[in-house]
């Protein structure tokens, strides 16, 4: 009988990277994904923009719609994590109660969940302005920008807080990797 050799690490986990627009969440997530894949981990990045286009199309940016969006993403993340995938979720998720509901869903299923606050100040984010949102808001073309004229409830006690303005993307990803390793998940 031939033995099948396992070539992938199968401990799943969700790493939720929350923070303001242009904080560096997605950039850090993709850098971390590369590190994990190089070690044989199954990895998915649930990018908030892609989810809005394909899973949450039609939702707006009201508190209720944002909550629904976060719960949909949380469901997908928990499903993947429960099935052995490192699921990296760079999503603003501005409301603490929405993030708490996602954490509880993971706890109920036994899937690992880590919350990482990419705590880049709004002044730095507005200079980065990756998608031009801050410029549009300043010009009066956009309202409801998280952290400017719409609330962002920063996590009070995240598993990790990253101040991306003080380190490279590689250093930020390495700090998340170190947390995963410390928790026995990498």
């Amino acid at each position: 009988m031939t033995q099948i050799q396992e070539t992938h690490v199968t401990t799943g986990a969700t790493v939720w990277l929350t923070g303001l627009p242009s904080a560096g969440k997605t950039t850090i997530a993709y850098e971390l994904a590369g590190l994990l894949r190089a070690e044989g981990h199954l990895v998915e990045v649930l990018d908030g923009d892609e989810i809005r286009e394909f899973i949450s199309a039609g939702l707006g940016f009201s508190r209720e719609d944002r909550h629904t969006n976060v719960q949909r993403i949380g469901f997908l993340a928990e499903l993947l994590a429960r099935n052995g995938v490192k699921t990296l979720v760079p999503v603003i998720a501005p409301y603490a109660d929405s993030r708490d509901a996602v954490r509880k869903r993971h706890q109920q299923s036994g899937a690992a969940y880590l919350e990482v606050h990419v705590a880049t100040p709004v002044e730095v984010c507005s200079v980065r302005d990756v998608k031009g949102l801050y410029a549009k808001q300043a010009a009066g073309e956009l309202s409801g920008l998280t952290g400017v004229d719409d609330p962002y409830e920063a996590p009070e006690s995240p598993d990790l807080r990253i101040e991306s303005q003080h380190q490279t993307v590689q250093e930020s990803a390495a700090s998340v990797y170190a947390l995963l390793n410390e928790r026995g998940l990498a």
Side-chain angles (χ1 to χ4, degrees):
M1 176 160 43
T2 309
Q3 268 192 320
I4 298 173
Q5 185 173 350
E6 184 86 20
T7 57
H8 293 287
V9 180
T10 58
T11 302
T14 293
V15 177
W16 197 289
L17 296 105
T18 179
L20 297 174
S22 296
K25 302 175 300 296
T26 303
T27 305
I28 294 166
Y30 279 108
E31 181 71 22
L32 177 60
L35 293 172
L36 292 168
R37 284 186 183 117
E39 292 187 347
H41 294 271
L42 298 173
V43 181
E44 285 296 331
V45 177
L46 298 181
D47 183 288
D49 292 333
E50 291 175 359
I51 296 292
R52 275 207 172 264
E53 182 179 350
F54 296 106
I55 306 292
S56 294
L59 288 180
F61 292 90
S62 68
R63 184 180 179 108
E64 181 179 307
D65 281 358
R66 288 177 191 255
H67 179 76
T68 298
N69 185 50
V70 168
Q71 295 317 296
R72 288 177 182 176
I73 297 168
F75 171 79
L76 289 172
E78 184 271 329
L79 180 68
L80 289 165
R82 185 165 36 97
N83 284 283
V85 178
K86 298 288 186 302
T87 309
L88 311 179
V89 186
V91 174
I92 296 167
Y95 301 109
D97 61 342
S98 295
R99 294 189 308 266
D100 289 346
V102 171
R103 181 186 292 274
K104 284 179 186 149
R105 171 181 210 83
H106 281 73
Q107 288 170 339
Q108 289 169 349
S109 75
Y113 178 88
L114 301 173
E115 183 177 66
V116 176
H117 180 206
V118 183
T120 310
V122 70
E123 300 79 22
V124 174
C125 294
S126 65
V127 170
R128 290 179 181 172
D129 205 9
V130 178
K131 299 174 195 161
L133 299 175
Y134 292 94
K136 287 180 183 174
Q137 192 276 336
E141 300 169 18
L142 174 76
S143 63
L145 182 58
T146 302
V148 178
D149 60 352
D150 212 49
Y152 176 74
E153 299 170 355
E156 291 183 19
S157 54
D159 296 285
L160 177 66
R161 189 176 318 278
I162 294 173
E163 294 183 4
S164 70
Q165 73 277 16
H166 297 307
Q167 58 191 44
T168 66
V169 172
Q170 292 76 18
E171 289 168 335
S172 294
S175 65
V176 181
Y177 180 87
L179 175 65
L180 283 165
N181 200 33
E182 175 186 304
R183 302 281 173 95
L185 300 168

